[in-house]
Amino acid sequence: MRPVIAISSRIAQDLDWAPPLIGTRQAYVEAILAAGGAPMIVPIIDDLEALRRLYDVVDGVLLPGGEDIDPRHFAEAPHPQLGSVSPERDEVELQLARWAVAEGKPILAICRGIQVLNVALGGTLYQHLPAQLDSTIGHDRGGHSEDWITLVHPLIITPDSRLARLIGTCELQVNSLHHQAIKDLAPGLRVVGTAPDGVIEAVESTNGAFLLGLQCHPEMLWKDHDTRWRQVFRGFVEAASASRSSR
Ligand code: MN
């Protein structure tokens, strides 16, 4: 039976005269489907009991990209260049991350997701990299559609890591569409990938549970641009499948 993968969502407005939508970018859904999972979009709801019911149904949790995280979650005042935040989404994803980490349910956290994971476990973030870190790498290449697939900088991967085993290399070029990043690493996480300027770009768990946080956007690369990323989505879905059969 195919494992069910929760993909958390965002609230968006498509028409100014219509009520808001809840959804996620199709690329995440396609990546999970292609890897053998059954994707399920989790709405942004302010109902802990209902959220827990949904969480209990799924075999793995994918935390996708999106807005900035409200810095109050790591006890900082907003930086002047903090982007838009979504307090409702923060609550849902921080909760999903904490539950999944506590139970060892497989997690794949992408872009905002790696940041959510770090904050959920007690870490902090750079709120705006260009102002807070001296680097020659432009990590934020958003704003133009082609930049989703532009390979911006190397990702240097720790040889003894799940990521290195799955992707089969210790260095590859990645896309980069972020202006926030992990600052202080949370307990329970281990850095397994960095950019040449030292920015943390990949984390795993310290306890062996399948937990993979990635600052880049592999959901935009696996199909055409770097098929090695297929193995990462497949590894996640397989771990979700194994966690399902062990429950
Ligand atoms: Mn980057």
Side-chain angles (χ1 to χ4, degrees):
M1 205 157 19
R2 295 170 76 152
V4 179
I5 305 296
I7 305 177
S8 55
S9 61
R10 66 164 73 191
I11 301 169
Q13 191 75 47
D14 63 333
L15 301 164
D16 56 11
W17 50 269
L21 293 170
I22 284 180
T24 193
R25 300 205 189 278
Q26 203 172 5
Y28 298 108
V29 170
E30 288 175 354
I32 292 303
L33 267 180
M40 187 181 86
I41 297 173
V42 174
I44 307 286
I45 46 175
D46 179 21
D47 182 327
L48 198 60
E49 198 186 334
L51 185 65
R52 179 68 203 195
R53 182 71 187 94
L54 291 171
Y55 167 81
D56 283 335
V57 167
V58 305
D59 308 304
V61 175
L62 192 160
L63 301 171
E67 304 92 333
D68 288 354
I69 294 160
D70 189 330
R72 74 182 177 82
H73 293 296
F74 47 99
E76 281 187 15
H79 185 277
Q81 269 126 340
L82 180 73
S84 61
V85 294
S86 170
E88 306 89 340
R89 183 176 174 187
D90 285 352
E91 294 302 329
V92 165
E93 291 185 332
L94 289 167
Q95 187 60 256
L96 289 174
R98 288 183 185 125
W99 281 334
V101 168
E103 293 169 26
K105 198 175 268 195
I107 302 174
L108 179 60
I110 293 174
C111 197
R112 167 188 160 92
I114 190 178
Q115 299 162 11
V116 166
L117 199 55
N118 189 53
V119 171
L121 301 181
T124 67
L125 303 178
Y126 291 110
Q127 293 188 45
H128 185 64
L129 273 178
Q132 296 179 300
L133 185 84
D134 188 22
S135 172
T136 54
I137 297 175
H139 285 276
D140 188 2
R141 297 283 295 264
H144 304 284
S145 58
E146 67 267 28
D147 284 338
W148 285 96
I149 53 171
T150 301
L151 302 177
V152 173
H153 63 71
L155 169 62
I156 300 143
I157 303 171
T158 306
D160 177 27
S161 65
R162 181 178 271 124
L163 178 58
R165 283 192 294 277
L166 286 172
I167 205 158
T169 185
C170 289
E171 185 170 339
L172 75 170
Q173 287 288 122
V174 294
N175 49 3
S176 188
L177 298 104
H178 60 109
H179 81 121
Q180 300 204 310
I182 291 176
K183 189 163 66 180
D184 301 306
L185 189 69
L189 297 181
R190 154 189 188 228
V191 175
V192 297
T194 54
D197 58 5
V199 167
I200 295 170
E201 295 254 346
V203 299
E204 293 182 1
S205 69
T206 53
N207 68 6
F210 191 106
L211 174 158
L212 181 57
L214 296 165
Q215 189 58 71
C216 65
H217 280 275
E219 81 284 2
M220 298 304 296
L221 302 175
W222 66 271
K223 201 190 281 180
D224 301 313
H225 301 280
D226 190 341
T227 54
R228 290 176 290 185
W229 287 108
R230 290 176 189 207
Q231 292 307 120
V232 172
F233 285 104
R234 218 166 273 156
F236 168 54
V237 168
E238 276 166 17
S241 190
S243 101
R244 174 194 177 80
S245 42
S246 71
R247 266 182 288 136

